[in-house]
């Protein structure tokens, strides 16, 4: 059996086991599983991967590329993703601009990179995530506060500068970022994985093994999508993925000498699910607005929850699909066609709905005209 297909079936089987465990695992229990993944298993994988690479100044390009991608997607969220929403749905538009440009590669991307591409690519993805973290923790917080201040009824009790200091400390204290800092420091002093004491090596390697099955089980257990806005969110995520494919294709065309693993990394990493951090910022703003008695909230929190719920399984299936048919996806021309196709497809429900409303309005107008003429005729009689 084909290696990629075999891996794909194994991953889907573990996700399926997670789905079967849904009824046995409460939602609050999933928080503990998530803590183990993000604080223990994933940092161990990144630590091992980092200590296997050779430190080079050229690696700085990865966080810069991730940050540039975030900024491009922020603009795309405003001018492309928000176009299908009505002018009255401003809270949803702001929610989309907070969530859609963000990335959460830890749960939706890293395990598949580790399986299909190996530790070297995981290390590069971890470095790229530093740029993404700066965007979601600091820049998106500043955007959220800007919107809140423009609409606030009362003065802010906590200064923006103090909040930014807190976010900076959170950025440093996060286990994944600590591991990256420690790993880079060790590499700068000439250490690698073999240089460490054997008990440290073995501990990291043993913990590393649990990451992939644990994340896949978590994905299966956590998929609980609420109905109502399913169609709208699915079309938005499809459009986001299509725009992302186009951005990746343009970059690959500009640098045709890139190796196949690096090309796949540039395709898969930006397809990560939406990050939880912007939701945390929005929730904080929502709490402040409740104290301010703001009747028109800045963000739609329920809409944000539904986006997060659908984003993880959507990105997971995309990552598996890309790696399963990697020879097909690494062609930038095909990637552009797929991207344009997905963007076009995402607009079809909106176009159908608009045409339907126009026809209804036209029929209503014709009916009113007919009723008016008929009543006029009756009066004349």
């Amino acid at each position: 059996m084909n290696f990629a297909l075999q891996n794909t079936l194994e991953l889907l089987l573990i996700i399926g086991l997670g789905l079967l465990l849904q009824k046995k695992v409460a939602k609050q229990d999933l928080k503990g599983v998530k803590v183990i993944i993000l604080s223990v298993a994933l940092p161990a994988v990144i630590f091992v991967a980092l200590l296997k690479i050779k430190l080079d100044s050229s690696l700085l390009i990865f966080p810069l590329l991730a940050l540039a991608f975030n900024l491009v997607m922020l603009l795309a969220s405003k001018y492309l993703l928000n176009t299908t929403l009505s002018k009255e749905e401003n809270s949803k538009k702001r929610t989309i601009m907070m969530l859609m440009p963000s990335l959460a590669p830890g749960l939706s991307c890293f395990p598949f990179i580790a399986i299909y591409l190996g530790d070297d690519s995981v290390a590069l993805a971890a470095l790229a995530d530093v740029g993404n973290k700066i965007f979601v923790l600091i820049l998106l917080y500043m955007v959220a506060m800007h919107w809140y201040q423009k609409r606030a009824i009362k003065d802010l009790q906590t200064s923006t500068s103090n909040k930014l200091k807190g976010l900076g400390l959170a950025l440093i204290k996060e286990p994944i970022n600590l591991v990256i800092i420690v790993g880079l420091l060790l590499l700068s002093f000439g250490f690698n994985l073999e240089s460490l004491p054997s008990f440290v090596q073995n501990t990291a390697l043993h913990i590393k093994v649990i990451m992939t099955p644990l994340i896949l089980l978590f994905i299966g257990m956590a998929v609980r999508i609420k109905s109502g806005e399913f169609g709208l969110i699915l079309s938005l995520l499809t459009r986001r993925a299509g725009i992302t494919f186009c951005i990746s294709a343009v970059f690959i065309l500009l640098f045709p000498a890139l190796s196949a693993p690096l090309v796949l990394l540039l395709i898969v990493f930006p397809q990560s699910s939406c990050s939880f951090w912007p939701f945390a910022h929005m929730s904080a703003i929502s709490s402040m607005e409740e104290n301010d008695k703001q009747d028109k909230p800045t963000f739609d929190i329920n809409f944000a929850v539904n986006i997060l719920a659908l984003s993880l399984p959507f990105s997971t299936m995309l990552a598996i699909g890309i790696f399963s048919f990697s020879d097909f996806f690494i062609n930038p021309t095909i990637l552009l066609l797929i991207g344009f196709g997905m963007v076009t497809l995402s607009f079809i429900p909106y176009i159908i709905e608009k045409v339907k409303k126009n026809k209804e309005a036209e029929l209503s107008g014709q009916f009113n005209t007919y009723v008016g003429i008929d009543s006029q005729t009756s009066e004349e009689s």
Side-chain angles (χ1 to χ4, degrees):
M1 187 182 288
N2 178 273
F3 170 76
L5 179 60
Q6 185 172 322
N7 272 336
T8 300
L9 292 174
E10 290 171 5
L11 300 180
L12 291 174
L13 184 58
I14 299 173
I15 292 172
L17 290 173
L19 287 167
L20 293 174
L21 289 172
Q22 273 193 2
K23 293 182 180 180
K24 294 184 177 291
V25 181
K27 281 187 179 180
Q28 55 268 29
D29 296 333
L30 289 175
K31 292 179 181 178
V33 179
K34 191 174 180 180
V35 168
I36 294 171
I37 292 168
L38 297 178
S39 300
V40 181
L42 191 54
V45 171
I46 292 170
F47 182 73
V48 171
L50 275 175
L51 290 180
K52 287 183 178 180
I53 67 170
K54 293 181 180 179
L55 194 61
D56 191 340
S57 59
S58 62
L59 296 176
L60 288 173
I61 191 65
F62 288 95
L64 292 175
L65 280 175
L67 184 57
F69 168 80
N70 293 135
L71 294 171
V72 170
M73 284 303 296
L74 184 63
L75 291 173
S77 298
K78 183 177 181 179
Y79 296 109
L80 283 173
L81 291 171
N82 278 339
T83 52
T84 50
L85 274 72
S86 66
K87 293 179 180 179
E88 293 77 26
E89 295 179 296
N90 288 321
S91 61
K92 282 187 177 179
K93 287 183 177 181
R94 286 187 283 265
T95 302
I96 288 168
M97 286 184 67
M98 288 290 288
L99 284 173
M100 291 298 179
S102 67
L103 300 173
L107 294 175
S108 59
C109 176
F110 283 174
F112 307 108
I113 292 173
I115 290 170
Y116 289 99
L117 299 181
D119 288 346
D120 289 347
S121 295
V122 171
L124 297 178
L127 290 174
D129 192 35
V130 173
N132 171 61
K133 286 281 174 52
I134 291 169
F135 176 77
V136 297
L137 281 173
I138 298 174
L139 295 182
L140 282 184
Y141 171 74
M142 294 174 72
V143 170
M145 290 305 295
H146 169 70
W147 281 329
Y148 171 72
Q149 286 175 316
K150 282 180 69 175
R151 309 175 74 255
I153 296 171
K154 295 181 181 179
D155 293 329
L156 293 177
Q157 295 179 351
T158 307
S159 69
T160 303
S161 60
N162 287 339
K163 182 66 177 175
L164 285 175
K165 286 178 185 176
L167 285 172
L169 288 172
L171 188 65
I172 294 170
K173 289 179 180 178
E174 193 174 332
I176 291 173
N177 296 333
L178 274 175
V179 161
I180 292 172
I181 292 167
V182 171
L184 291 176
L185 283 173
L186 288 171
L187 286 173
S188 65
F189 286 109
F191 291 96
N192 56 31
L193 191 63
E194 286 72 27
S195 306
L196 300 177
S198 58
F199 70 91
V200 175
Q201 290 183 48
N202 292 334
T203 301
L205 290 169
H206 285 314
I207 297 173
K208 172 181 177 285
V209 173
I210 70 170
M211 185 200 70
T212 299
L214 197 59
I215 287 180
L216 295 175
L217 286 171
F218 174 82
I219 290 169
M221 292 185 290
V223 176
R224 292 179 171 93
I225 301 165
K226 297 179 182 178
S227 60
E229 293 171 332
F230 180 85
L232 171 61
I233 295 170
L234 185 61
S235 69
L236 289 171
L237 290 173
T238 302
R239 197 174 312 153
R240 174 187 186 251
I243 295 166
T244 302
F245 277 138
C246 290
I247 294 170
S248 297
V250 168
F251 191 85
I252 295 163
L253 285 169
L254 290 173
F255 300 94
L258 294 173
S259 63
L262 195 51
V263 167
L264 284 170
L265 180 62
L266 291 170
I267 296 169
V268 172
F269 182 84
Q271 295 291 349
S272 301
S273 62
C274 299
S275 172
F276 174 80
W277 278 105
F279 177 77
H281 301 329
M282 289 187 284
S283 298
I285 298 294
S286 179
S287 298
M288 290 192 292
E289 287 178 336
E290 284 179 10
N291 294 330
D292 293 345
K293 298 180 180 178
Q294 173 67 270
D295 57 343
K296 293 182 179 178
T298 304
F299 303 107
D300 188 329
I301 298 299
N302 291 330
F303 185 56
V305 170
N306 286 341
I307 289 175
L308 288 173
L310 188 55
S311 176
L312 181 59
F314 185 87
S315 293
T316 300
M317 292 300 106
L318 265 181
I320 291 174
I322 291 165
F323 282 123
S324 299
F325 304 96
S326 56
D327 293 339
F328 181 74
F329 278 94
I330 59 173
N331 186 324
T333 305
I334 291 175
L335 204 60
L336 271 175
L337 291 173
I338 293 171
F340 279 121
M342 291 180 79
V343 171
T344 304
L345 185 67
S346 72
F347 278 104
I348 289 175
Y350 168 71
I351 294 168
I352 292 171
E353 187 67 25
K354 198 168 183 180
V355 170
K356 187 179 177 182
K357 284 182 179 178
N358 288 339
K359 281 187 176 179
E360 287 175 355
E362 187 180 333
L363 289 170
S364 177
Q366 289 175 354
F367 176 76
N368 291 335
T369 303
Y370 173 78
V371 170
I373 293 171
D374 188 56
S375 59
Q376 187 178 355
T377 306
S378 299
E379 286 175 5
E380 287 175 356
S381 300

